């Protein structure tokens, strides 16, 4: 099949990126062909047409070039890779077909355009490299829109937790290795696209070469990476770098260093716990609204919002570092004038981190550089407000903020305000900045003074008082003389046009001026572009210090946001201690409290650890607040360890090394795991990895299997946490049998949710009180949920029948029990279960053995044998 030169060019471009949709620039449109066209037409709702109509028509779809960003956003949101093929030469100057090249490949993890990014969220690209012995995994991740680049390694068993902390939108995975992470053609919020890459890009040799070349260094030891000890991390970082080179088709000057990530310096939170506690995404739909982060985020600037999300993902574990943040938050909370002034400045500040990244890549607009100039103008005020503060961290931030007076002066004197978006259409540079540019602009605008002077000189020279100099688009500049003065026309005048009652002429001098004017606008635009590039390079030359300043401003924004939250929601400063204790007075769930009507949330106390019992067993009905109670304890601990005040009257919080949350019921059918299997897997992880410094919250264990299996497992789990782990644990359960553990385990304490019954109505007080609950009120909750009355009434009948037949459904105080010997203490105690009693036993109790003859005894035994 003979292809046209255009389609041959398309085929060559497509062959260079076969796994991406190719947007092929043709004049004012981007066009897609073949299967790409069908895919795009479906996703983007484009009209599917055809090219080369005939026996073999080629499917075709397209859209105007100025709509690129909006269409890219839709394609990337579906997890697709998109290659952008541009015209790389001027069509007017091209000889034959216009040259085209793929200038970038856009993927979920390589976005840099503002229109494609959430300004308040990081957009990480990650890579995973296996270690030699499969015990370690290297992980690297980059935020291309800001230039921040990290690498580290973790135990392979904790890889899922590490990726959950990083939360990348795209992850590079070695081709041929089984990937334990599911991906989707329509990732949606919180999903990770998996991109497989050839194994060689994860090799140490290729990784080292790519990294050393990028940073212009001879060894990675200066960044803290040893070739022997950190090989998996280096391999992962090299894979990221090679992928970025392939997709961006450009140098990446914003990536100027690799940051070593040190695990163990932050609170460990596994994937299931992040999900259960809804730290950054809700369980139901994966959205940000309704999460802990959404409640905390009162930042004024995108940089601060992204940093706060990092703090929530990785709380601190060092008391001194936590106290440093708390001191800064306390000072900002206690000084409303300082806090409000700082927040007002930060609100005016542009996203300096992402602006600097665009400057480094050369993709910035005049408005981007104008945003940097605006930021520089705000820095003196912010720096002055932080001067001589009591909190050491605020003083550190003040020192980190540089002022750049020369750069600021140059940008402010050069750029118009507001600067335009377009780069090559002029209107960027202020008058007075460049004498040459002012002259060109004067020419381009017609040079009124020159024309006036020329007309006056010619009038005096010719003696023609009615001589006029004019201009039109057809003939350009001309001299118009009425026929009355035709005898006075000089010999050097060249006739151009005859009009009514007059003739029009040109002169060599006027023609030369005309040529200068007609080229002046193009020259002015080119000079403006060159001046702008100089300004851009001036900013790029200060990029390192500017990024440090941006980082300090982001920290200040996050701290001020936490201070504003503490003031608005009446949070208290927690006392942070190393001992594993929790003493909270009038604590509240930060999210539920914020979303509930004012004054309706019922606060509760917590005493856990130390002499108060390490394991709190909370019983009570559904919907009464057990789950909220245990979650709020975990969230307050996390808040304290990011350096935030907490929603309570007072709080003493011992630093946790890990938080575990086994909450809710879910299955993972794609991996062949039922709800109960997921529950047991998560429980096993807690029992195997928790330490005495950990905090564990459990919401129902064993509910996914039979009653006896479930309560047995819950009982054994509680004993193990008490005897072997010794960590702070809050266990919400409906298994009332577990409350008997408080009699034999010194570290177990019973709590329950207070309930009041009145005229067959149940009122949940949401108050946690000492002691064990005696009912679950499940049938009442079913009525509230809308279960039909006949079903509810029948359930009551069945419940009464079961309670009369099976004593294990009754509270301990109402049971007749079988005694057994405790294997720990040797004391007799109540056993967990007993079988329904047979009537023969009652007859046996009443039998007078001494009054029976041997024959009567034999007959009675025969009768009982038959009945049993």
């Amino acid at each position: 099949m003979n292809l046209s030169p255009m389609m041959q060019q398309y085929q060559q471009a497509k062959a260079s990126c076969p796994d991406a949709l190719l947007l092929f620039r043709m004049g004012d449109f981007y066009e897609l062909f073949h299967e790409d066209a069908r895919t795009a037409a479906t996703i983007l709702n484009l009209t599917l047409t055809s090219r080369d109509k005939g026996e073999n028509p080629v499917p075709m779809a397209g859209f105007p070039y100025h709509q690129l960003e909006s269409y890219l956003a839709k394609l990337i949101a579906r997890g697709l890779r998109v290659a952008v093929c541009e015209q790389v030469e001027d069509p007017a100057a091209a000889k034959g077909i216009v040259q085209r090249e793929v200038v970038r490949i856009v993927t979920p993890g390589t976005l840099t355009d503002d229109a494609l990014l959430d300004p308040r969220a990081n957009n990480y690209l990650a890579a995973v490299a296996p270690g030699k012995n499969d015990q370690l995994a290297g992980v690297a991740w980059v935020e291309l829109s800001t230039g921040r680049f990290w690498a580290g390694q973790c135990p392979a068993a904790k890889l899922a937790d590490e990726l959950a902390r990083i939360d990348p939108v795209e992850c590079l995975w070695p081709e041929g290795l089984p990937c334990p992470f599911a991906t989707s053609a329509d990732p949606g919020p919180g999903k990770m696209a998996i991109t497989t890459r050839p194994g060689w890009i994860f090799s140490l040799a290729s990784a080292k070469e790519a990294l050393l070349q990028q940073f212009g260094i001879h060894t990675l030891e200066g960044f803290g990476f040893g070739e022997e000890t950190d090989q998996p991390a280096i391999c992962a970082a090299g894979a990221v770098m090679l992928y970025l080179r392939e997709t961006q088709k450009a140098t990446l000057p914003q990536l100027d260093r690799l940051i070593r990530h040190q695990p163990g310096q932050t609170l460990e939170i596994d994937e299931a716990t992040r999900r259960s506690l809804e730290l950054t995404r809700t369980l139901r739909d994966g959205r940000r609204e309704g999460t802990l982060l959404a409640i905390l985020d009162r930042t004024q600037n995108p940089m601060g919002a992204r940093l706060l999300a990092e703090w929530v993902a990785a709380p601190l574990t060092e008391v001194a570092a936590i106290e440093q943040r708390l001191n800064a938050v306390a000072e900002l909370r206690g000084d409303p004038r300082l806090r409000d002034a700082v927040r007002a400045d930060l609100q005016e500040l542009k996203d300096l981190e992402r602006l600097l990244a665009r400057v480094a890549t050369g993709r910035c607009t005049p408005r981007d550089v104008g945003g940097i100039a605006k930021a520089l103008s705000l820095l003196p005020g912010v720096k002055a407000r932080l001067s001589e503060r009591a909190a050491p961290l605020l003083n550190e931030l003040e020192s980190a903020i540089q002022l750049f007076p020369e750069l600021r002066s140059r940008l402010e004197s050069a750029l118009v305000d507001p600067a335009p978006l377009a780069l090559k259409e002029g209107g960027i540079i202020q008058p007075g900045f460049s004498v040459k540019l002012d002259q060109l602009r004067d020419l381009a605008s017609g040079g009124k003074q020159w024309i006036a002077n020329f007309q006056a000189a010619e009038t005096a020279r010719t003696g023609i008082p009615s001589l006029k100099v004019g201009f039109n688009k057809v003939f350009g500049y001309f001299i118009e003389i009425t026929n009355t003065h035709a005898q006075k026309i000089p010999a050097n005048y060249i006739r151009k046009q005859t009009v009514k009652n007059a003739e029009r002429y040109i002169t060599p001098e006027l023609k030369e001026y005309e040529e200068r004017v007609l080229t002046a606008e193009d020259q002015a635009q080119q000079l403006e572009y060159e001046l702008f590039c100089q300004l851009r390079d001036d900013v790029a030359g200060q990029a390192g210090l500017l990024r440090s300043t941006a980082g300090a401003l982001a920290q200040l924004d996050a701290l001020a946001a936490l201070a504003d939250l503490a003031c608005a929601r009446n949070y208290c400063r927690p006392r942070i201690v190393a001992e594993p204790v929790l003493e909270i007075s009038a604590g509240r769930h930060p999210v539920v409290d914020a979303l509930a009507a004012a004054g309706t949330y019922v606060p509760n106390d917590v005493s856990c650890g130390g002499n108060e019992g390490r394991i709190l067993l909370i019983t009570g009905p559904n919907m009464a607040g057990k789950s909220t109670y245990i979650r709020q304890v975990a969230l307050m601990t996390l808040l304290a360890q990011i350096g935030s005040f907490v929603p309570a009257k007072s709080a003493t919080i011992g630093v946790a090394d890990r938080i575990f949350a086994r909450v809710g019921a879910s299955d993972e059918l794609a991996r062949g795991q039922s709800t109960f299997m997921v529950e047991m897997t998560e429980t096993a992880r807690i029992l195997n990895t928790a330490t005495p410094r950990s905090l564990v919250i459990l919401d129902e264990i064993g509910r996914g299997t039979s009653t006896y299996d479930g309560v047995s497992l819950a009982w054994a789990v509680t004993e193990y946490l008490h005897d072997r782990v010794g960590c702070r644990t809050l266990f919400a359960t409906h298994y009332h049998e577990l409350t008997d553990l408080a009699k034999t385990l010194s570290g177990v304490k019973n709590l329950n949710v207070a309930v009041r019954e009145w005229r067959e109505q149940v009122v949940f007080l949401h108050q946690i009180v000492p002691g064990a609950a005696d009912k679950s009120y499940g049938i009442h909750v079913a009525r509230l949920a809308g279960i039909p009355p006949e079903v509810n009434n029948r359930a009551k009948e069945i419940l009464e029948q079961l309670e009369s037949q099976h004593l294990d459904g009754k509270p301990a105080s109402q049971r007749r029990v079988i005694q057994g010997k405790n294997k720990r203490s040797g004391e007799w105690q109540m056993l967990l279960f007993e079988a329904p009693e047979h009537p023969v036993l009652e007859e046996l109790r009443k039998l007078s053995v001494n009054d029976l003859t041997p024959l009567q005894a034999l007959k009675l035994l025969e009768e009982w044998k038959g009945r049993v």
Side-chain angles (χ1 to χ4, degrees), residues 524-583:
Q525 290 180 1
Q526 180 61 30
L527 180 56
E528 276 199 274
Y529 175 72
E530 293 171 1
L531 292 172
F532 173 76
C533 289
Q534 292 175 11
L535 295 173
R536 184 188 65 198
D537 292 344
D538 291 342
V539 174
Q542 301 276 359
L545 289 174
L546 283 165
R547 276 199 290 269
S548 296
T549 295
L553 294 169
Q555 284 193 64
L556 180 60
D557 192 18
L559 293 168
L562 293 177
D564 189 66
L565 175 71
C567 186
R569 303 296 309 170
N570 194 28
Y571 284 13
C572 75
R573 176 173 180 164
R575 187 170 75 91
I576 304 297
V577 298
E579 297 76 24
V581 297
L582 283 169
E583 293 290 338

Side-chain angles (χ1 to χ4, degrees), residues 324-346:
Q324 192 177 41
R325 284 187 191 168
L326 285 172
N327 288 335
V329 172
E331 185 163 355
L332 290 165
R333 183 184 192 274
D335 191 339
R337 292 182 62 185
L338 168 65
R339 183 178 71 249
D340 292 346
V342 164
R343 284 168 58 79
D345 286 339
L346 291 169

Side-chain angles (χ1 to χ4, degrees), residues 258-575:
L258 183 63
I259 305 169
R260 180 184 173 87
H261 174 67
Q262 294 278 19
Q265 296 180 345
T266 57
L267 178 67
E268 291 189 32
I269 311 172
D270 63 31
E271 183 182 15
T273 300
R274 292 181 190 278
R275 203 168 50 240
S276 297
L277 295 179
E278 298 184 303
L279 300 184
T280 59
R281 291 189 179 89
T282 56
L283 274 170
R284 182 179 295 274
D285 54 15
R287 301 296 177 184
R288 192 174 190 266
E289 295 76 16
T291 65
L292 178 67
L293 179 60
I295 296 302
L296 297 183
D297 189 3
R298 291 175 172 242
T299 55
Q300 300 291 86
N301 187 274
M303 296 186 296
R306 295 194 297 268
L307 181 62
L308 184 60
E310 291 178 18
W311 287 2
V312 170
L316 302 171
T317 54
E318 295 181 1
V319 173
I322 297 170
E323 289 289 353
Q324 192 177 41
R325 284 187 191 168
L326 285 172
N327 288 335
V329 172
E331 185 163 355
L332 290 165
R333 183 184 192 274
D335 191 339
R337 292 182 62 185
L338 168 65
R339 183 178 71 249
D340 292 346
V342 164
R343 284 168 58 79
D345 286 339
L346 291 169
Q347 189 176 34
E348 295 294 317
L349 192 72
K350 299 295 183 182
D351 191 340
L352 200 52
E353 288 178 335
R354 286 184 170 169
L355 291 179
L356 290 170
R358 290 204 290 277
V359 165
T361 59
R363 291 179 179 170
C364 62
T365 67
R367 191 162 296 176
D368 291 337
V369 179
I372 294 173
K374 175 67 173 177
L376 298 183
S377 71
L378 295 169
L379 294 183
V382 176
K383 187 176 179 71
R385 292 184 181 93
L386 297 180
S387 179
E388 298 181 359
R389 289 292 162 184
L393 181 54
L394 294 181
N395 288 321
E396 289 179 18
L397 297 180
E398 186 272 336
S399 299
I401 296 174
Q402 306 295 312
L403 297 184
F404 310 95
E406 294 180 2
L407 179 61
R408 174 191 169 188
S409 175
R410 181 165 170 77
L411 294 179
E412 289 180 340
S413 62
L415 294 171
V416 299
D417 186 20
L421 281 172
L423 182 55
K424 294 187 176 181
E425 296 180 5
I428 302 171
I429 305 298
Q430 291 194 68
F433 181 75
S434 167
V435 173
K436 184 178 179 180
L437 178 61
D438 290 344
Q439 291 173 344
L440 289 171
R441 283 174 169 170
D442 188 44
L443 278 174
S445 64
K448 293 181 180 180
Q449 188 59 49
W450 189 94
I451 293 296
N453 293 340
F454 177 79
Q455 180 174 305
E458 289 301 298
T459 299
R461 185 169 73 88
T462 62
I464 302 174
S466 60
L467 182 148
K468 293 181 181 179
V469 178
F471 175 83
N472 67 36
K473 293 182 179 180
V474 177
F475 294 104
Y477 285 96
F478 55 82
I479 300 169
E480 185 173 292
I481 299 174
T482 60
N483 293 334
T484 305
H485 300 284
Q487 302 301 322
K488 298 180 180 180
I489 295 172
N492 67 329
Y493 276 33
I494 302 170
R495 195 175 73 80
K496 189 75 173 177
Q497 182 185 17
T498 299
V499 294
K500 186 178 180 179
N501 299 323
E503 297 285 337
R504 290 177 175 174
Y505 302 86
I506 60 171
T507 68
E509 183 180 8
L510 188 60
K511 188 65 177 175
E512 178 186 353
Y513 178 75
E514 177 183 298
E515 291 175 357
R516 288 169 55 200
V517 167
L518 294 178
T519 59
E521 185 172 359
D522 291 339
Q523 291 176 354
Q525 290 180 1
Q526 180 61 30
L527 180 56
E528 276 199 274
Y529 175 72
E530 293 171 1
L531 292 172
F532 173 76
C533 289
Q534 292 175 11
L535 295 173
R536 184 188 65 198
D537 292 344
D538 291 342
V539 174
Q542 301 276 359
L545 289 174
L546 283 165
R547 276 199 290 269
S548 296
T549 295
L553 294 169
Q555 284 193 64
L556 180 60
D557 192 18
L559 293 168
L562 293 177
D564 189 66
L565 175 71
C567 186
R569 303 296 309 170
N570 194 28
Y571 284 13
C572 75
R573 176 173 180 164
R575 187 170 75 91

Side-chain angles (χ1 to χ4, degrees), residues 240-259:
V240 168
M241 183 56 62
L242 289 168
Y243 185 69
L244 291 177
R245 286 184 185 172
E246 175 190 328
T247 57
Q248 301 306 292
K249 311 289 184 182
T251 59
L252 301 162
Q254 75 270 37
L255 304 182
D256 57 4
R257 63 183 178 130
L258 183 63
I259 305 169

